Amino acid sequence: MISTTIDQEIKKAMLAKDNAQLRGLRAIKAALLLAKTEKGSSEEITEETELKILQKLIKQRRESADIYRQQNREDLYQVEEEEIAVINQFLPKQLDRAEVAAIIETVIKQSGATSVKDMGKVMGMANKELAGKADGKLIAEIVKEKLA
């Protein structure tokens, strides 16, 4: 589970006085604690849910970084990029576009999809198959291309 690793990494970052690492780790821990309390204190969150939370954190930071870059706020942009790097350490290796396209081809064949009308069905299967390994935006883009 990612949550146990985070606690250990926070201790290491505190001892090393690594503020960027510590900031990112604390953001992860806060998001995981929030998710745990939302579901109820008796339920443990799954590893799949943890991966979704991490992807959400990265997406939020990328959007913020883009806004900061547009506003010429390099200092804030740099903070977001540092946190993205920390969060990425806990995600599985991201697949490149060609690998994602190959997996989506397989999913389309399995589902029997023939047109853009079947996009919802294909997206559901593709998201399960590629959970944590690819960005949802990229998956949607490739599915749309293949079904068009």
Side-chain angles (χ1 to χ4, degrees):
M1 296 293 278
I2 295 172
S3 50
T4 54
T5 310
I6 296 295
D7 291 334
Q8 296 166 354
E9 292 296 320
I10 286 176
K11 288 176 189 171
K12 288 180 189 174
M14 289 172 93
L15 290 172
K17 295 183 180 359
D18 186 349
N19 288 331
Q21 182 85 357
L22 194 56
R23 224 181 15 253
L25 292 169
R26 284 183 172 157
I28 295 170
K29 184 171 182 164
L32 292 175
L33 283 173
L34 183 65
K36 193 180 280 187
T37 56
E38 281 176 357
K39 292 202 176 220
S41 58
S42 62
E43 281 189 47
E44 193 68 29
I45 56 176
T46 64
E47 197 164 339
E48 184 179 321
T49 307
E50 287 179 336
L51 290 176
K52 285 181 183 176
I53 291 168
L54 293 180
Q55 285 181 315
K56 183 179 176 184
L57 291 174
I58 286 182
K59 182 180 178 189
Q60 290 170 341
R61 277 155 184 74
R62 281 204 175 111
E63 289 170 356
S64 297
D66 289 342
I67 291 169
Y68 294 143
R69 169 108 341 141
Q70 290 168 1
Q71 296 175 347
N72 293 323
R73 291 295 312 264
E74 284 299 316
D75 54 333
L76 297 174
Y77 170 80
Q78 193 60 42
V79 168
E80 296 297 329
E81 286 297 316
E82 289 170 352
E83 288 184 18
I84 288 171
V86 171
I87 297 167
N88 265 330
Q89 295 171 3
F90 298 95
L91 283 173
K93 179 189 166 288
Q94 298 292 295
L95 300 176
D96 65 18
R97 188 178 178 89
E99 292 170 318
V100 173
I103 292 171
I104 289 174
E105 285 273 342
T106 307
V107 169
I108 290 173
K109 287 176 186 165
Q110 289 173 351
S111 68
T114 55
S115 69
V116 179
K117 291 178 183 175
D118 301 320
M119 186 167 174
K121 181 168 63 171
V122 174
M123 281 299 295
M125 293 173 69
N127 282 330
K128 270 187 190 165
E129 186 81 25
L130 295 165
K133 298 176 188 168
D135 182 41
K137 201 175 191 179
L138 176 65
I139 295 170
E141 184 181 307
I142 294 173
V143 168
K144 205 172 205 177
E145 282 175 16
K146 300 285 183 189
L147 292 177

